[in-house]
Amino acid sequence: MAASNKGIQTIEDVVSHLIKHPADDAYIADLLTSSDYLTLWQINIERNPWQYDDVLLAEVPRKECEEYCRGIVEDDANGPHRYVVNRGAFKGLHHRFSLATFKLFFELYDLLSSEHRQRVTVARRWLEANGLIAPAIERFHVPHTSEWFATLHQWDPVQAAQTKFVVDHAGREDVCSICGDDPADDYRLAKPFRPAGTTGTLRLCDDCLEIRRAMGEPYEKL
């Protein structure tokens, strides 16, 4: 029983324990939902609303503001944030084991990834508006390239594996990322709908494009 396992100290310990003892899933999921763990992120928003709002950020003393903005933007440039990495990991774990605890962690890190992206976006806008950095050049990965698969695997390992299977089965890369049909064209999610950490691009046939748009995903042709 998880309650008697004093070795559970970290999230990694929880994952290891549940893989070995899935019967403890409901108990641990209940601990998470009944505690403040899943809502701790709200404390930063309440204490530091200026990190999420352009108007409030502009009211912060310039030196302090510049140090904060440079720090978060430089940190973001060093590679995928741990929230994005953990989101992808729990997406894969939930798909594989179908445990409620893994779903809760996925939802938490999905939210934290979006919250972090908002802070980075606001900080970058301030630096750009004050002439301290050049405007960001928008880049994207072409679907089915090695870079595209690597980025997608971090964000959504399930979709990455499914698309890899589709492409390998077709024996060519110019097919739909979802169903393997051709012809297919390259599309990208409209910027306001593009999640943090993902490629935002797919190679889609006409049918899958319409399905995605009907699901509320406004893909635009590259």
Side-chain angles (χ1 to χ4, degrees), residues 2-222:
S4 61
N5 188 344
K6 303 303 181 182
I8 299 178
Q9 302 291 330
T10 66
I11 292 178
E12 290 76 13
D13 293 335
V14 172
V15 171
S16 178
H17 179 88
L18 284 177
I19 289 174
K20 296 175 182 176
H21 307 284
D24 288 344
D25 177 44
Y27 173 77
I28 295 179
D30 183 63
L31 283 180
L32 287 172
T33 54
S34 61
S35 70
D36 294 330
Y37 186 86
L38 298 177
T39 57
L40 283 174
W41 59 272
Q42 296 176 1
I43 295 175
N44 189 60
I45 294 179
E46 294 169 358
R47 291 179 177 175
N48 303 296
W50 54 271
Q51 295 179 355
Y52 305 86
D53 184 272
D54 295 277
V55 175
L56 295 178
L57 182 65
E59 297 174 356
V60 175
R62 183 180 176 88
K63 182 178 180 181
E64 178 185 344
C65 188
E66 181 177 347
E67 290 178 354
Y68 162 76
C69 291
R70 285 191 184 279
I72 192 171
V73 169
E74 289 172 1
D75 180 66
D76 186 65
N78 289 330
H81 193 275
R82 61 187 177 87
Y83 293 157
V84 175
V85 174
N86 287 349
R87 179 197 182 280
F90 281 108
K91 174 86 171 183
L93 285 167
H94 179 247
H95 178 77
R96 181 178 177 184
F97 296 101
S98 298
L99 297 180
T101 300
F102 294 160
K103 184 174 186 290
L104 288 172
F105 276 126
F106 164 72
E107 291 172 346
L108 172 63
Y109 283 111
D110 185 51
L111 188 153
L112 291 175
S113 294
S114 297
E115 179 261 355
H116 174 69
R117 179 52 47 192
Q118 174 67 10
R119 291 194 293 132
V120 172
T121 300
V122 170
R124 172 169 280 283
R125 276 202 297 259
W126 186 90
L127 292 170
E128 291 179 0
N130 286 273
L132 297 173
I133 59 172
I137 299 174
E138 198 169 28
R139 295 182 174 87
F140 61 89
H141 295 303
V142 175
H144 305 173
T145 60
S146 58
E147 295 84 359
W148 183 87
F149 273 114
T151 301
L152 181 61
H153 186 269
Q154 287 179 333
W155 180 254
D156 190 340
V158 177
Q159 184 180 340
Q162 291 171 342
T163 300
K164 187 69 167 60
F165 174 82
V166 166
V167 171
D168 289 347
H169 182 73
R172 42 193 281 212
E173 296 181 350
D174 61 342
V175 296
C176 178
S177 303
I178 307 301
C179 68
D181 280 357
D182 70 279
D185 292 311
D186 292 344
Y187 294 88
R188 191 179 194 187
L189 271 174
K191 192 169 185 177
F193 297 85
R194 206 174 301 151
T198 183
T199 63
T201 57
L202 284 173
R203 187 162 289 159
L204 298 169
C205 64
D206 289 345
D207 288 343
C208 286
L209 173 63
E210 290 308 311
I211 291 171
R212 289 278 167 163
R213 286 176 172 170
M215 292 168 59
E217 300 177 3
Y219 276 91
E220 304 170 337
K221 196 167 184 178
L222 289 176

